Amino acid sequence: MKLLALETANEQCSVSIVDETQTLYFQLDTRAKAQTQTILPMIEQGFQQNQINSEDLTAIAFSRGPGSFSGVRINAAVTQALAWAHDLPVIPVSTLQALAQAAYQQAHLTEVTAVLDARMNEVYMASFKLDQNNIMQLVDEEKLLDYQQAAQYQKYDLIGSGSTLVDGNAVTFQNITANANDIATIARQHALKQQWFNAEQALPVYLRDNAWKKIPEQGKS
């Protein structure tokens, strides 16, 4: 099994290639809004270093949002194009879940409320708890909330860029960010169970835009 994981939803770009047990390749570009210039060269570099190509992949995992509108669109578009061209399944991963996974990896937190700045005096928010496979799992619902609503929705320690917007004192974990390795860690568990979608279902989730289907609604007629 080999998974390609892509993360551009947080205004930066990272690419990871993993197998069942280890990371084979990881590259991160922290420059803001450089995703369109860097994501394809980074993917190609990963293929070259591991002497593989798209046909050797089992699936493509991507951060499906919520997050930066442009970043989420880029991630979904690149994933869909590669998956269509090479007849590969896709594994959409919540950006908030990836952020929670990063909190476990970086700070050993097992219960978190992930918060991302959504601009317009709002945040994207959801809470997660570690399961028996060391994967952070959703315990409520992903929501777009104003700051006052978010303060009432908080369950655990706040993490992510929206932390201090909800609670001015929540500075400890505000700089935790997710990358493609966190996407890959979550997606690996789905891939081992062949829990994936067809390429046309590599859709972004904005929360603010009701025109896009949520992941649980995809695949239904």
Side-chain angles (χ1 to χ4, degrees), residues 18-195:
V18 303
D19 62 14
E20 293 89 342
T21 60
Q22 63 184 330
T23 299
L24 305 175
Y25 169 82
F26 174 71
Q27 189 70 27
L28 170 67
D29 187 337
T30 59
R31 294 176 298 163
K33 301 181 180 179
Q35 302 102 315
T36 53
Q37 289 79 35
T38 59
I39 187 167
L40 292 178
M42 288 165 65
I43 293 171
E44 184 60 29
Q45 182 185 54
F47 287 169
Q48 290 178 357
Q49 287 189 10
N50 287 276
Q51 298 183 337
I52 62 174
N53 54 43
S54 298
E55 286 74 17
D56 297 314
L57 297 176
T58 304
I60 303 174
F62 71 106
S63 56
R64 48 80 165 166
S68 158
F69 277 22
S70 60
V72 170
R73 284 197 299 269
I74 292 166
N75 224 26
V78 171
T79 298
Q80 196 170 75
L82 289 173
W84 259 331
H86 303 284
D87 194 25
L88 292 168
V90 299
I91 303 174
V93 176
S94 162
T95 310
L96 291 171
Q97 185 184 15
L99 179 59
Q101 194 68 35
Y104 171 64
Q105 293 298 123
Q106 298 174 28
H108 308 293
L109 299 177
T110 59
E111 297 177 336
V112 299
T113 297
V115 193
L116 290 173
D117 184 1
R119 315 296 182 186
M120 301 172 63
N121 297 315
E122 293 176 315
V123 293
Y124 303 118
M125 188 173 189
S127 294
F128 298 84
K129 188 173 183 178
L130 196 71
D131 70 7
Q132 67 275 15
N133 294 315
N134 291 328
I135 302 297
M136 296 294 266
Q137 300 290 354
L138 185 69
V139 299
D140 48 21
E141 182 181 352
E142 295 185 354
K143 290 190 175 184
L144 175 68
L145 304 169
D146 64 36
Y147 300 159
Q148 183 176 2
Q149 292 170 329
Q152 298 173 348
Y153 198 55
Q154 177 185 354
K155 289 183 174 64
Y156 309 124
D157 287 336
L158 296 173
I159 62 164
S161 62
S163 297
T164 55
L165 299 175
V166 177
D167 180 353
N169 296 316
V171 299
T172 305
F173 305 114
Q174 67 172 329
N175 292 323
I176 289 178
T177 59
N179 60 48
N181 274 341
D182 302 302
I183 298 294
T185 297
I186 296 167
R188 180 189 281 123
Q189 297 299 314
H190 293 286
L192 290 172
K193 300 175 183 178
Q194 297 187 5
Q195 296 174 339

